Amino acid sequence: MSIGFLTSVFPISLLDEVVGVSGCAERRRRALPARLTIYYVLALCLFSDKNYDQVMRLLLNGLAWRSRWVYTWEPPSASAISRARARIGAEPLRVLFCRVTGPVAQPRASLSRLAGLRPVTMDGTTLAVPETRDNSVFGYPDRAARFPRVRVVAVAENGTHALIDATFGSSAVEEHILARRLLRCLESDMLLLARFGPWGLELWRQAVETGTHLLWGVTGADALPIGRSFEDGSYLSRPAGLGGAPLRVIPLPGAEWLITTLVDPRQASASELAARYAERWVMDSALAWLHSDRRAPAITLRSRSPEMVAQEIWALLCVYQAMRELTCQATSHPGASCTCARV
């Protein structure tokens, strides 16, 4: 069933298109053609508890079963698998990710909107990679980290949890630096939910320039100048670092505060905004759903070189997106909600 899932959401025609666009089409017949190698990398994410040989056997048996045993293959050696992965590199999986990302069908989509805007979340996480000389370029986020880590940041719809865009880099790169790359995906009908530290105001200014509305959790907002107060407990502020542009501050219990470009409480009250912020998409739990050992402190990738790590991350994001689409299709009948599945 898992292999059937791969071939249905990633049909051969799509993979052939991706292979052509990424420039990795074969000039001669190979035992592991590019499309089969892409299926294999995707299968690695589905069967994270299996070794390389076991995943290949599951893939080939599944493909043979799908063809009603018209086509069969001999499992290649581990070295042949490694060479095939290195031959195609990360680009085909990146292109495939670009092809499958975006909003998925959501019945009664208007119910997930707030103030007429489509809530989306920007969030990040780190993924552990094997400790090799090559992978050391990804760095260690802190002294307690046992393995190098890659920092991944993505934007997803709140209603469906479907990915809109994603990027990644060394764990030494701060999340807000990677987040700047994702401003390209923002649109004027979105409400971007995010959580950032004291340096978030500079990123805030850049995000506002895209025309989207913002609802962010920040620390240190009590230092912002207080302007007009509203009955719902929020108030206006005009920080000097934003050139006097107004934002609305919503105090929360504890050290975190909310700031938003929705400055009129009639658009959305403080309680509505706080409730929607609490429901934001969280990347850690989303990707952990795809990992076989959900009790593990973090997802650990298999790849032992940066190029193969990139290939595996794009594949992981592709499989996550496909799972979201499948879940939303399964829950598309009246009364169902895409968010009911913990993916």
Side-chain angles (χ1 to χ4, degrees):
M1 186 173 66
S2 295
I3 303 306
F5 161 76
L6 284 181
T7 56
S8 63
V9 297
F10 304 111
I12 290 177
S13 59
L14 174 60
L15 296 196
D16 286 344
E17 177 190 345
V18 164
V19 168
V21 170
S22 57
C24 63
E26 293 90 0
R27 296 184 179 179
R28 63 186 178 88
R29 187 181 181 90
R30 295 183 180 274
L32 274 175
R35 69 166 68 136
L36 183 58
T37 305
I38 293 174
Y39 275 137
Y40 175 73
V41 179
L42 295 168
L44 286 175
C45 301
L46 281 179
F47 304 109
S48 59
D49 59 334
K50 308 295 184 185
N51 63 37
Y52 278 25
D53 291 337
Q54 290 172 325
V55 173
M56 181 58 77
R57 290 181 182 276
L58 286 168
L59 174 63
L60 296 182
N61 287 340
L63 293 175
W65 178 83
R66 291 278 293 178
S67 72
R68 299 186 179 181
W69 305 102
V70 172
Y71 301 103
T72 59
W73 297 265
E74 285 295 323
S77 64
S79 60
I81 294 173
S82 296
R83 289 194 299 271
R85 287 188 63 193
R87 190 164 54 244
I88 69 169
E91 182 62 10
L93 277 300
R94 187 196 67 80
V95 173
L96 181 61
F97 174 77
C98 293
R99 291 291 191 273
V100 300
T101 50
V104 300
Q106 182 186 13
R108 303 187 302 168
S110 61
L111 296 181
S112 66
R113 290 182 175 256
L114 180 65
L117 301 172
R118 178 162 53 102
V120 300
T121 296
M122 179 184 290
D123 195 39
T125 189
T126 59
L127 307 176
V129 298
E131 190 174 26
T132 66
R133 178 178 297 180
D134 291 339
N135 281 348
S136 64
V137 299
F138 292 118
Y140 298 78
D142 52 61
R143 294 182 178 180
R146 296 177 54 194
F147 300 100
R149 290 180 181 267
V150 183
R151 191 179 304 281
V152 184
V153 183
V155 175
E157 283 189 311
N158 274 32
T160 64
H161 296 179
L163 296 176
I164 299 173
D165 201 355
T167 189
F168 54 88
S170 166
S171 61
V173 179
E174 295 288 351
E175 187 171 318
H176 69 284
I177 301 297
L178 294 176
R180 291 175 185 169
R181 302 177 187 173
L182 300 181
L183 299 182
R184 63 198 176 198
C185 75
L186 300 181
E187 299 176 0
S188 58
D189 70 335
M190 291 179 176
L191 174 64
L192 178 64
L193 282 63
R195 184 178 186 276
F196 290 105
W199 33 259
L201 284 183
E202 173 59 23
L203 183 63
W204 171 282
R205 182 186 60 77
Q206 296 172 351
V208 166
E209 292 176 354
T210 68
T212 192
H213 278 283
L214 311 178
L215 174 62
W216 288 12
V218 298
T219 56
D222 52 338
L224 296 176
I226 299 176
R228 179 185 174 187
S229 297
F230 300 108
E231 293 182 359
D232 63 1
S234 62
Y235 60 87
L236 286 182
S237 182
R238 297 179 182 271
L242 298 180
L247 57 83
R248 186 164 151 225
V249 181
I250 302 170
L252 295 179
E256 190 173 45
W257 298 51
L258 298 182
I259 56 176
T260 181
T261 56
L262 297 175
V263 296
D264 189 345
R266 291 173 295 182
Q267 291 179 283
S269 68
S271 59
E272 288 177 315
L273 292 170
R276 189 56 61 94
Y277 179 77
E279 297 171 355
R280 70 192 186 281
W281 178 79
V282 179
M283 194 170 190
D284 280 332
S285 59
L287 294 185
W289 193 92
L290 297 174
H291 198 52
S292 60
D293 186 2
R294 302 182 194 176
R295 299 167 299 175
I299 296 177
T300 302
L301 304 180
R302 309 172 186 245
S303 303
R304 303 180 67 82
S305 70
E307 181 72 8
M308 296 300 96
V309 166
Q311 183 189 79
E312 190 175 351
I313 291 175
W314 289 126
L316 181 70
L317 297 175
C318 284
V319 171
Y320 169 83
Q321 182 75 354
M323 289 285 195
R324 288 312 313 156
E325 184 170 355
L326 186 67
T327 300
C328 287
Q329 290 175 0
T331 58
S332 61
H333 56 82
S337 169
C338 295
T339 57
C340 65
R342 294 183 63 252
V343 179

